[in-house]
Amino acid sequence: MEHVSEKRFPLNAKDYKLYEEVGEGVSATVYRALCVPLNEIIAIKVLDLEKCNNDLDGIRREVQTMTLIDHPNVLQAHCSFTAGHSLWVVMPYMAGGSCLHIMKSGHSEGFEEPVIATLLREVLKALVYLHAHGHIHRDVKAGNILIDSNGSVKLADFGVSACMFDTGDRQRSRNTFVGTPCWMAPEVMQQLHGYDFKADIWSFGITALELAHGHAPFSKYPPMKVLLMTLQNAPPGLDYERDKRFSKSFKELVATCLVKDPKKRPSSEKLLKHSFFKHARSNDYLAKTILDGLAPLGDRFRTLKAKEADLLVQNKALYGDKEQLSQELPSMSRLDRFLVSADWEDHISYIAQNMLSRIISDHCPLGLDSGGLCRGKSHFKFENMWLKAESFVDK
């Protein structure tokens, strides 16, 4: 399993020196590292193949995509190789880190509009490139927008990206359930008729709100409830009263992206022409505005990791285990207790994949409208889904 970019990076772990951690996920850790033969600082993503849900062929395709990418706003992989039970992916080092970590470190209420416009313009350039080459990113969010020390912006993490050109059919729709619930498009959740590039436009709109507020809509809720709220509620947006600091053009941009019918969303190419991006500035502006004064990425990551660990300890002290939590919430339904106490793995494997799409398919073959009613079957209200879900959980 070897893919090499034009620059010849070595394919042996012995040629790299790992420094501090700068990121981590369920099955991967990212390190700042040194490529010894080239004397170049890079990032290495080490994936534990035993923890990866994907098969090896799927992982190989994802990494191949990363090595073939050639755009200044998309993070490319220099090369990849296996080392024991791990896959090492060598990538450029983005010293500023992700927009998510930058917000957590010093912009908890979100960024100012010129910063947001600049970031979103660069992300949109990346999406135009990816979509033109048949790729859906499927996980656009602040955590995957990386900034270098000079303010350059790259869209990263193709761990869930998909190529729609596998069979040569540009219009083929995907039918797999991947992504992060807060940023996930309704059609991805419903799994009724597949989805296409427009799913990224919804995620782009959610990311715009995340950059504006410091967090994504519904982020305080458990994953399964996010799925249900996204399907049932009206699309989130910028409030004309609460968000007075933002321009009308920004509010219109978000509203244009967050339309439940994917056919009514603009393409990435058309969106790039929106008047909002007249507010965008240079990369130097980003570096001076949001990177100046920040601690090195490794130090920030270590601090945030410690805070999250403390929060986890506090939550355990407050709630105890899942059984104790259920006992402390006697007024909640069995399903609601499950939604509060279950973790992300439980939601996706036990509920989301197996139950939600099955219920919607059985009772709402035409999907749900914005009011939570089944199209063509108005007597079946969305609330019925909770009853169905609760009986499913009991099983």
Side-chain angles (χ1 to χ4, degrees), residues 111-287:
F111 297 123
E112 294 301 314
E113 187 164 315
V115 171
I116 298 171
T118 309
L119 291 169
L120 291 181
R121 179 193 61 191
E122 301 303 289
V123 171
L124 206 47
K125 289 178 184 177
L127 290 180
V128 169
Y129 171 84
L130 292 173
H131 294 173
H133 287 78
H135 297 289
I136 314 173
H137 187 278
R138 300 200 289 177
D139 206 17
V140 178
K141 58 183 180 180
N144 286 335
I145 303 172
L146 306 185
I147 306 180
D148 205 352
S149 55
N150 63 0
S152 63
V153 179
K154 293 183 187 291
L155 184 59
D157 200 343
F158 284 81
V160 296
S161 67
C163 185
M164 295 178 69
F165 285 172
D166 291 345
T167 62
D169 180 5
R170 182 170 181 148
Q171 299 304 320
R172 184 166 62 90
S173 293
R174 301 294 299 192
N175 284 286
T176 47
F177 189 100
V178 292
T180 312
C182 288
W183 295 261
M184 193 180 290
E187 66 270 20
V188 180
M189 297 177 179
Q190 288 180 314
Q191 297 291 292
L192 295 176
H193 308 295
Y195 57 92
D196 59 15
F197 308 105
K198 297 295 184 68
D200 280 344
I201 302 302
W202 176 279
S203 301
F204 179 83
I206 296 294
T207 301
L209 292 176
E210 181 185 15
L211 296 174
H213 294 147
H215 58 85
F218 310 143
S219 59
K220 66 180 181 180
Y221 297 107
M224 183 56 191
K225 189 161 187 178
V226 173
L227 296 176
L228 296 172
M229 289 177 73
T230 301
L231 292 174
Q232 181 183 22
N233 295 4
L238 290 170
D239 186 88
Y240 280 81
E241 289 299 320
R242 185 190 67 224
D243 295 306
K244 287 183 177 179
R245 67 189 179 106
F246 296 118
S247 68
K248 182 180 178 181
S249 63
F250 185 27
K251 293 169 184 174
E252 289 174 347
L253 175 89
V254 172
T256 299
C257 296
L258 298 181
V259 178
K260 288 199 174 182
D261 184 352
K263 294 178 182 178
K264 295 181 180 179
R265 293 176 214 146
S267 66
S268 52
E269 191 172 8
K270 183 177 180 180
L271 199 57
L272 191 55
K273 299 175 183 177
H274 196 281
S275 61
F276 169 66
F277 294 109
K278 293 178 182 178
H279 299 284
R281 308 282 182 86
S282 66
N283 290 344
D284 287 341
Y285 172 80
L286 284 182

